[in-house]
Amino acid sequence: MAFAIALEIVRYVLEHRGYWTPSTLGNWHLATVLLVILGIVVFSLTMFWLIDRAERQVIRQNRDLATANAVAAAIQGQSTVSSIVDGSLAALVGTGGTAQARIRLFQPADLPEEDATAHTVVAPGLAASTDNPSVDVPLTHGPTTVGRLSVWYDEETYLGDRVGTTALSSLTTQIACAIQLAEAVGDLNRRKIEGHALYDILLRVSNQEPTTAVLDTVARHAVTLLRADGAAITVFPDIARSVRFEAGPDAPTLEPNGSAVVARGAARQTWSHTAARQGDGATGPVCQIEVGRSDAGPFTERDCGFLSTLASLIGIALTGAQMRELSRQRAILSERTRIAREMHDSLAQVLGAVHLRLRALGATFANLPKDQVGAEVDSLAEVCAESYRDVRETILGLRDSQQHADRSLEDNLRAYLMKYSSQSGIAATLVNEVGHEVSLSPRAEVHLIRVVQEALTNVRKHAAASSVTVSVSGTDASTTFEIEDDGVGFDHTSTVGAQDGYGLFTMRDRAALLGGTVDIDSVLGRGTRIMVTVPERPFAPRVLGGVR
């Protein structure tokens, strides 16, 4: 319309100024037609160019939207960084018109680019390339850069057919955000799994499980949680000599320098990346834990931090094992001392007395009447029988502690009282006033059984009793054992230094080891009651899977 109006104005001006005459009318008509044709051509070309440009913009926008939707669909629902990266690259190659796409991840964030983990996807039929990418942009969300995106286009790809700058910026932000979210979720899951592993190890340590089993559990968790191919725990020589390792196929390997090694997984010779941390005990370093990978990359600071925690738990476990072994050795020495004193107070003295009396009898045998010799022989036989009962009682106590360690405290006491009654002829009864089966710590049970045995031995030797009752009672803070007989009683204030003084002494000594007390209530002619109290609540034994 503008062209037609301009043409009419020109014609009007030419006609009124005399340029348009009948002689030149044909020429001017021809010029007008040519101008009209030229205007139509110019107008058509301009419109075609504008339409083509608009069409290309629409196609690019559609491609950008399709690429964005494909990347979003590939990312949605993915929970790991690797799946997000691989899905994003496949979407870029499949819908973005790219020949190759690569993402290099910086994990951790301060990792140099040359050490970054690279994920690459190449279009079918093409060879991978690492040189001169068409586009190389950072994957940034906020202030954090998690990696770089490199894209290669085919040489024949028109610039306008490539993913636009705005769309590419949006895609990189979207991918970076998804990677950060997956890393956060993965970190939370890892912390949860690490917490379960630490709880498992601490539970085994607190339950005083065998040292070899605890160390093997730590090595197994180290391999699993640190994605290692192998782990080795080295117990230093001084500690290895003071800790008891259980025999069996999982027993540690003893090195020439005296150290003990618990290994799991691949051998050290196959490791290309390693990390090691020392565990400390009460007196300094006690162990070292080392993990290794063949080709999964170096260990991060986060991995080394968790490894330090495992090393600390190993130090705690070994310290506890040292204390248990020291306590066991002390218990052995204490039991040896007790047996030696009992042998000295009973069997040794009896054998010495019998020896002297037999020597005297041999020297005067020819001059003594037969009835006097017979009386002396009967007396010696009674002394030997008494010594025999003492020895049998000692053996009974030792055998019960070894053969019936799997029984409850109450079962052990009932079995001992039954044998005691059959051997001594004294009716022995156990009364449980707690209301449920009594269970104490293993250390307390051993000492209390020994105290009861000492008290019953004194009843047999000196009380002249026909019956004895062992009662068990308790509160929320303590447990009390009472041994009461119907014998002749004694003056307990004057027993120190008497023949059986060691029995009362060892009872008080064992109770003191548990933080408890021994009280004696006895009057001549009224029997004796011994009360042993320890500061432990008589809890009921736990039942797991039907096994106590």
Side-chain angles (χ1 to χ4, degrees):
M1 291 176 64
F3 175 74
I5 293 171
L7 187 62
E8 287 297 322
I9 292 174
V10 170
R11 185 180 64 81
Y12 175 79
V13 172
L14 293 175
E15 287 181 353
H16 285 76
R17 291 195 177 184
Y19 296 106
W20 196 295
T21 63
S23 60
T24 60
L25 181 63
N27 295 331
W28 285 113
H29 278 186
L30 179 61
T32 302
V33 172
L34 292 176
L35 286 174
V36 171
I37 293 173
L38 179 62
I40 291 173
V41 171
V42 172
F43 174 76
S44 299
L45 292 176
T46 303
M47 290 303 296
F48 284 143
W49 178 78
L50 291 175
I51 292 173
D52 182 69
R53 181 182 177 185
E55 184 179 6
R56 286 182 178 274
Q57 289 179 347
V58 171
I59 292 174
R60 172 182 284 185
Q61 290 177 355
N62 289 338
R63 183 187 299 109
D64 291 348
L65 288 174
T67 303
N69 290 334
V71 171
I75 290 175
Q76 186 177 7
Q78 301 298 332
S79 58
T80 64
V81 174
S82 296
S83 60
I84 291 173
V85 171
D86 293 338
S88 301
L89 294 175
L92 284 172
V93 173
T95 61
T98 61
Q100 176 181 323
R102 181 185 68 191
I103 289 179
R104 288 174 295 171
L105 293 177
F106 305 152
Q107 293 177 322
D110 57 352
L111 188 70
E113 286 195 31
E114 57 270 16
D115 295 331
T117 303
H119 296 249
T120 304
V121 173
V122 184
L126 298 178
S129 174
T130 58
D131 299 327
N132 302 322
S134 304
V135 178
D136 188 46
V137 293
L139 295 175
T140 303
H141 179 247
T144 305
T145 299
V146 299
R148 294 193 70 86
L149 170 64
S150 301
V151 177
W152 285 260
Y153 288 100
D154 190 21
E155 294 180 356
E156 299 178 356
T157 303
Y158 178 62
L159 291 177
D161 293 336
R162 301 180 179 183
V163 178
T165 304
T166 304
L168 191 62
S169 176
S170 176
L171 287 177
T172 54
T173 302
Q174 186 179 10
I175 296 172
C177 180
I179 290 175
Q180 283 183 300
L181 182 60
E183 288 177 345
V185 173
D187 186 66
L188 289 176
N189 290 333
R190 179 174 176 179
R191 288 180 183 274
K192 181 181 71 174
I193 297 173
E194 288 177 354
H196 290 166
L198 297 179
Y199 173 77
D200 179 35
I201 296 171
L202 287 172
L203 185 62
R204 293 175 183 272
V205 173
S206 63
N207 288 340
Q208 298 183 2
E209 291 192 7
T211 305
T212 303
V214 174
L215 296 183
D216 185 70
T217 299
V218 175
R220 174 168 51 84
H221 285 307
V223 170
T224 302
L225 297 180
L226 297 178
R227 301 180 302 280
D229 295 319
I233 299 174
T234 303
V235 182
F236 295 157
D238 291 342
I239 308 302
R241 286 191 292 268
S242 62
V243 173
R244 186 182 184 186
F245 294 105
E246 294 71 27
D250 297 330
T253 302
L254 297 180
E255 300 293 334
N257 63 353
S259 61
V261 179
V262 176
R264 189 178 184 88
R268 283 191 177 98
Q269 293 77 6
T270 63
W271 299 351
S272 56
H273 301 282
T274 62
R277 290 293 185 272
Q278 284 190 349
D280 295 331
T283 58
V286 297
C287 66
Q288 175 178 282
I289 179 171
E290 185 177 10
V291 292
R293 295 173 179 165
S294 299
D295 55 3
F299 292 93
T300 64
E301 288 298 323
R302 169 70 184 280
D303 295 335
C304 294
F306 182 69
L307 194 64
S308 297
T309 303
L310 293 180
S312 299
L313 292 182
I314 298 173
I316 294 174
L318 292 176
T319 301
Q322 275 186 300
M323 296 177 64
R324 291 196 302 274
E325 181 63 16
L326 181 60
S327 177
R328 190 178 74 89
Q329 295 296 334
R330 286 178 176 174
I332 292 174
L333 292 176
S334 177
E335 195 65 15
R336 288 177 179 175
T337 302
R338 185 187 75 86
I339 294 173
R341 289 181 178 177
E342 287 185 357
M343 294 299 100
H344 176 268
D345 290 347
S346 57
L347 186 60
Q349 292 183 4
V350 169
L351 289 177
V354 168
H355 174 262
L356 292 177
R357 291 175 66 178
L358 284 175
R359 287 291 187 183
L361 181 61
T364 59
F365 176 77
N367 301 324
L368 292 177
K370 289 184 178 181
D371 55 346
Q372 188 174 351
V373 172
E376 182 66 13
V377 171
D378 291 340
S379 176
L380 290 174
E382 181 62 28
V383 171
C384 291
E386 177 71 14
S387 178
Y388 173 73
R389 285 193 292 269
D390 288 343
V391 173
R392 283 289 303 271
E393 193 165 302
T394 301
I395 295 174
L396 173 62
L398 293 176
R399 187 173 65 243
D400 281 348
S401 64
Q402 295 295 328
Q403 293 183 349
H404 304 312
D406 57 336
R407 289 183 176 180
S408 67
L409 173 62
E410 189 171 337
D411 290 341
N412 279 329
L413 285 175
R414 290 188 187 280
Y416 180 79
L417 292 180
M418 185 181 299
K419 293 178 182 179
Y420 174 84
S421 296
S422 64
Q423 291 183 3
S424 65
I426 301 173
T429 307
L430 178 64
V431 177
N432 185 347
E433 300 177 355
V434 176
H436 55 73
E437 186 177 351
V438 177
S439 180
L440 300 172
S441 65
R443 179 169 176 264
E445 289 186 0
V446 170
H447 284 295
L448 286 172
I449 288 177
R450 289 289 185 265
V451 169
V452 172
Q453 291 174 351
E454 293 287 353
L456 293 177
T457 298
N458 286 338
V459 170
R460 179 181 58 80
K461 287 182 177 180
H462 308 293
S466 60
S467 65
V468 61
T469 302
V470 179
S471 303
V472 185
S473 60
T475 65
D476 290 337
S478 64
T479 302
T480 300
F481 283 70
E482 292 188 7
I483 303 94
E484 186 172 5
D485 64 67
D486 59 356
V488 298
F490 69 100
D491 183 6
H492 65 86
T493 61
S494 61
T495 57
V496 178
Q499 185 178 0
D500 63 333
Y502 176 73
L504 297 178
F505 168 78
T506 191
M507 284 191 288
R508 289 192 172 94
D509 186 49
R510 288 186 182 276
L513 291 176
L514 301 175
T517 58
V518 174
D519 296 319
I520 301 175
D521 180 17
S522 181
V523 178
L524 290 174
R526 189 177 56 83
T528 302
R529 182 176 63 167
I530 298 176
M531 294 163 288
V532 185
T533 302
V534 294
E536 284 194 22
R537 178 172 62 89
F539 59 87
R542 294 181 299 173
V543 178
L544 298 175
V547 180
R548 189 176 64 86

